[in-house]
Amino acid sequence: MARPRTFDEERALDAAVWAFWVKGYEATSTQDLCSATGLGRSSIYNTFSSKHELFTRALARYMDVMTAGQVAVLEQAERPVMERLRALFDVVIDGEFERRVEGRSVGCLTVNTTVEIAGRDPEVAALLARDLERRLASFRGVIEAGQRAGEISTARDADSLARFINAVIGGMRVSAQGGADRAVLESVADTALVALSC
Amino acid sequence: MARPRTFDEERALDAAVWAFWVKGYEATSTQDLCSATGLGRSSIYNTFSSKHELFTRALARYMDVMTAGQVAVLEQAERPVMERLRALFDVVIDGEFERRVEGRSVGCLTVNTTVEIAGRDPEVAALLARDLERRLASFRGVIEAGQRAGEISTARDADSLARFINAVIGGMRVSAQGGADRAVLESVADTALVALSC
DNA sequence: CGGGTTTTAGATAGATCAGTACAAAACTTG
DNA sequence: CAAGTTTTGTACTGATCTATCTAAAACCCG
């Protein structure tokens, strides 16, 4: 065998996630990534091959963690569906106010990446599409349960409502990045929830 | 006097708007801007001083045009409020499907800029905030009219509903950039409109 | 038509970019 | 402890970035 690494790959990845999250892909230099991770250039390139590959790995990790968290909230079968959806919105809102830089939310790396580079990077677009499907499937699941339980209107099919929820969450994240305060986001969430029952 | 310009400043600005719209601020090089506008570097720098100033002017122009268009739709006092709001959503949706590159929507420059650079550029953030206020004021106006006319629920104040509309539009634009088709966006819009009446 | 002024083209500057080369350091295993 | 292998720090490469410099071209007005 040989010399072992002195750093933890997952921790480095987490640091890279944060760097890309705050500044976006283009504005984050490889030097920024060295500073953020505490690694030298050699270690970064030896481990992750390129800035682009480090980004896709960081994005994949972000999506895994975030989507798993949201799905977990929605799978609490013992709670009423509307309560679970409210809990989902609360997770989103709390996140927007926990993760801030210079008084502003950093938003959501998924949304940020969709906006910044999905249009001109098919590989990234495919990663985002896969994550979107996973989230939509989860949303659909609860909504169907809610419809069976009579909590959610059956005037619209579950897929449409799932996509509505997804769009509202995206809009809330953009609003947060635009400076919206907590009361605004909570009100947006409330209004969206009302829409589901009618 | 002296040698006159051989180009139209507004047309150059429109070309710059499109360049920034498609690729974002960071990924658009000054060379890209020369190609897009058809101007030489000297003309660009002579006229707009810097990439950053060209961007702020392009953004301001975009916001003027877009917001004016949306406000105009909402000010058709002879139509019912819900019809006007539906027309607003239609304008948004049509825009998402008119402005595409390689099969994908380029979204909205306001949203794109909020996500990409508002957090680390106070000057840009201020421009965006001003435009947001203008749009919210317009949204509030119609919503109040709708509430007086009994078309829109008074369970929520007009400002909250205005911000809800704004968030949903932002979410629709992100969804479009993420690949959503027309039926999805129309369904999201329908669902949002339903929320206003209950 | 010529003096004064501005625009324009093209070369250039200096910084920074992503990525590589290379050798020293650090560790495992025999 | 020594051979073999990988990591790591640093210097470097060539490309590209924003911005400027210089001088010729183009135009208006007297």
Side-chain angles (χ1 to χ4, degrees), chain A residues 31-48:
Chain A
Q31 185 51 54
D32 289 335
L33 293 164
C34 292
S35 310
T37 57
L39 306 185
R41 307 180 73 69
S42 299
S43 300
I44 295 239
Y45 278 90
N46 186 38
T47 311
F48 302 107

Side-chain angles (χ1 to χ4, degrees), chain A residues 105-123:
Chain A
S105 169
V106 296
C108 160
L109 184 58
T110 303
V111 168
N112 298 0
T113 303
T114 299
V115 168
E116 192 192 353
I117 48 183
R120 55 205 162 78
D121 189 327
E123 186 188 341

Side-chain angles (χ1 to χ4, degrees), chain A residues 23 26-27 104 112 114-115 118-120 125 156 160 163-164 167 171 174-175 177-178 184 187-188 190-192 194-195 198, chain B residues 23 26-27 104 112 114-115 118-120 125 156 160-161 163-164 167 171 174-175 177-178 184 187-188 190-192 194-195 198:
Chain A
K23 289 185 69 170
E26 298 288 350
R104 255 192 151 79
N112 298 0
T114 299
V115 168
R120 55 205 162 78
R156 233 161 254 292
S160 294
R163 298 190 119 101
F164 173 73
V174 174
S175 295
Q177 276 177 301
V184 165
S187 164
V188 169
D190 284 346
T191 308
V194 166
C198 54
Chain B
K23 289 186 67 170
E26 297 289 349
R104 255 193 152 78
N112 297 1
T114 299
V115 168
R120 54 205 163 80
R156 232 160 255 291
S160 293
L161 293 179
R163 299 190 117 101
F164 173 72
V174 174
S175 295
Q177 276 178 299
V184 165
S187 164
V188 170
D190 284 346
T191 309
V194 165
C198 53

Side-chain angles (χ1 to χ4, degrees), chain A residues 133 136 140 158-168, chain B residues 184 188:
Chain A
E133 268 319 309
L136 286 176
R140 267 195 307 269
D159 183 64
S160 294
L161 293 179
R163 298 190 119 101
F164 173 73
I165 297 285
N166 185 63
V168 170
Chain B
V184 165
V188 170

